[in-house]
Amino acid sequence: MLVQEFRTEVVPPAERWDLWQDVATRTHVPNLMRSERSDDFEATMRVLPLGDLQIAELSLPQLDTARTPRIIRRFDPEVLQVNCQLVGDGGMAQDGTEAVFRAGHLIAADTSLPYDIRINRTSQRSTTVVVSLPRARLPLPPRTLRRLLAVPVPVDRGMGGTLYRWLTDVARRADEFTEADAPTLASVTTDLLAAVLGGCVDSEDALPPESRRRALHTRIRDFIDRNLGDPSLSPATVAAAHGISVRHLHQLFAAEGEAPAAWIRHRRLERCRRDLADPRLRGRSVQSIAARWGFTDPATFSRVFRRVYGMTPTDHRHQYGGE
């Protein structure tokens, strides 16, 4: 399991603020921190390390963070920190730009430049997903990234909505991932960030074609995952929902060594396999689980499941469902 979890409640209230400062420094970058709640700082952090990219979910009370020139001279990993605000609000100032942000906003900070960040300006608690990655990893010109610092970006629709759902889902399922998943998770996260940030700038700073292609492919896979229970889901309906031809859809998936119909079937089978192994779902029949994920013909489902996993759905439930 990749995820690392930290909770300040494991120590007495008087020690929680010191513990938080130590953990935050080790998992992110050194900063000056101050809080009105330092007498009993109740906070949690879940960190998912993915090579040179990291995704962390933070839940905490009021917090002021400052990165000064002196601290930067001592240590600077040249990292971009992108905060996706889930709950609460805040304010940020960097490179001459100052703004407030709220839930549903994305806001970026560069560790090579001084900044001030205030979490929970008016709210009681904040939940944030923070993506930390080298600036050089994003296929965007340096001048473009600098123009986006401390600029709130809404992530409630389009590619922004896809990124928001991706980050919240990765954070929620962090304990399910293994080291083998890290390269894919990092690559998809980078492409989505590049697509969202690149969409905020002029056409001269547009994303490279390959990054746009990967971002569209990711958005389509996200759409498929959200509609697996619809029996009518097919390459034709997926293409229509994204305003592209079925031929274009096949080309996108072929570049990844996949086929749209096979991917839909694979994702449905994976959801069924997970549900069949869940002891909490023992009361549901195999047929109802299959139908939940879009399989309308029980015989076809059983045959395909056995071909892929080497056993019937019922045998899989007996072996992995705790019966």
Side-chain angles (χ1 to χ4, degrees):
M1 186 168 64
L2 283 176
V3 67
Q4 304 164 11
E5 187 162 349
F6 307 92
R7 295 179 176 273
T8 60
E9 63 184 25
V10 300
V11 298
E15 300 176 19
R16 291 172 181 173
W17 175 240
D18 289 339
L19 174 61
W20 175 261
Q21 292 185 89
D22 178 62
V23 169
T25 298
R26 287 189 288 109
T27 57
H28 290 80
V29 293
N31 290 308
L32 296 178
M33 287 179 275
R34 184 180 65 83
S35 176
E36 299 169 357
R37 303 292 301 278
S38 59
D39 58 330
D40 184 7
F41 197 79
E42 293 188 12
T44 63
M45 181 190 302
R46 302 181 80 207
V47 178
L48 186 64
L50 306 172
D52 62 355
L53 183 148
Q54 172 183 280
I55 298 176
E57 182 182 38
L58 286 65
S59 176
L60 65 162
Q62 190 276 331
L63 177 68
D64 293 342
T65 301
R67 188 156 170 80
T68 66
R70 182 179 179 182
I71 293 176
I72 293 171
R73 287 193 297 270
R74 287 167 48 195
F75 176 70
D76 179 26
E78 299 184 352
V79 160
L80 193 71
Q81 295 181 328
V82 184
N83 301 348
C84 183
Q85 195 70 17
L86 307 185
V87 178
D89 62 9
M92 179 178 171
Q94 186 173 44
D95 200 31
T97 301
E98 186 169 357
V100 297
F101 56 88
R102 55 178 173 76
H105 276 162
L106 200 76
I107 194 162
D110 189 332
T111 63
S112 298
L113 299 170
Y115 60 64
D116 287 286
I117 301 176
R118 302 174 302 283
I119 301 298
N120 292 323
R121 296 171 68 253
T122 63
S123 52
Q124 295 299 311
R125 288 195 67 83
S126 170
T127 302
T128 309
V129 176
V130 181
V131 181
S132 304
L133 72 166
R135 293 193 304 268
R137 187 180 178 104
L138 284 172
L140 293 170
R143 67 180 184 278
T144 298
L145 290 178
R146 189 152 183 167
R147 285 161 49 192
L148 294 171
L149 298 178
V151 175
V153 177
V155 283
D156 57 349
R157 60 178 66 119
M159 288 303 300
T162 299
L163 174 62
Y164 182 91
R165 289 188 295 271
W166 169 261
L167 292 179
T168 54
D169 196 46
V170 169
R172 185 174 63 249
R173 299 177 180 276
D175 56 357
E176 300 178 12
F177 302 119
T178 66
E179 290 187 7
D181 301 315
T184 300
L185 291 170
S187 176
V188 172
T189 302
T190 300
D191 287 337
L192 284 174
L193 278 174
V196 172
L197 296 177
C200 299
V201 297
D202 299 335
S203 58
E204 65 179 0
D205 293 322
L207 287 173
E210 179 61 17
S211 292
R212 290 200 301 272
R213 183 196 66 76
R214 290 199 301 263
L216 175 58
H217 187 224
T218 299
R219 181 154 57 98
I220 288 172
R221 286 189 296 182
D222 175 70
F223 174 85
I224 289 172
D225 277 353
R226 288 184 286 111
N227 291 274
L228 289 174
D230 182 356
S232 67
L233 185 69
S234 67
T237 60
V238 171
H242 292 83
I244 61 176
S245 67
V246 174
R247 180 181 179 184
H248 188 186
L249 180 70
H250 278 275
Q251 290 172 341
L252 283 172
F253 275 78
E256 305 292 335
E258 304 161 349
W263 178 255
I264 293 171
R265 184 175 62 247
H266 164 72
R267 296 300 292 163
R268 282 173 166 162
L269 285 170
E270 282 293 293
R271 295 298 178 88
C272 290
R273 183 168 72 114
R274 183 193 65 188
D275 284 2
L276 289 168
D278 189 341
R280 296 169 298 181
L281 300 179
R282 289 176 187 162
R284 289 194 177 186
S285 68
V286 171
Q287 183 175 344
S288 69
I289 288 175
R292 178 189 182 190
W293 298 113
F295 288 102
T296 56
D297 181 12
T300 299
F301 167 67
S302 183
R303 182 174 64 254
V304 173
F305 191 97
R306 182 168 187 170
R307 184 175 70 243
V308 173
Y309 299 116
M311 65 181 71
T312 67
T314 301
D315 289 342
H316 178 80
R317 167 172 270 179
H318 288 165
Q319 183 168 343
Y320 298 102
E323 292 186 359

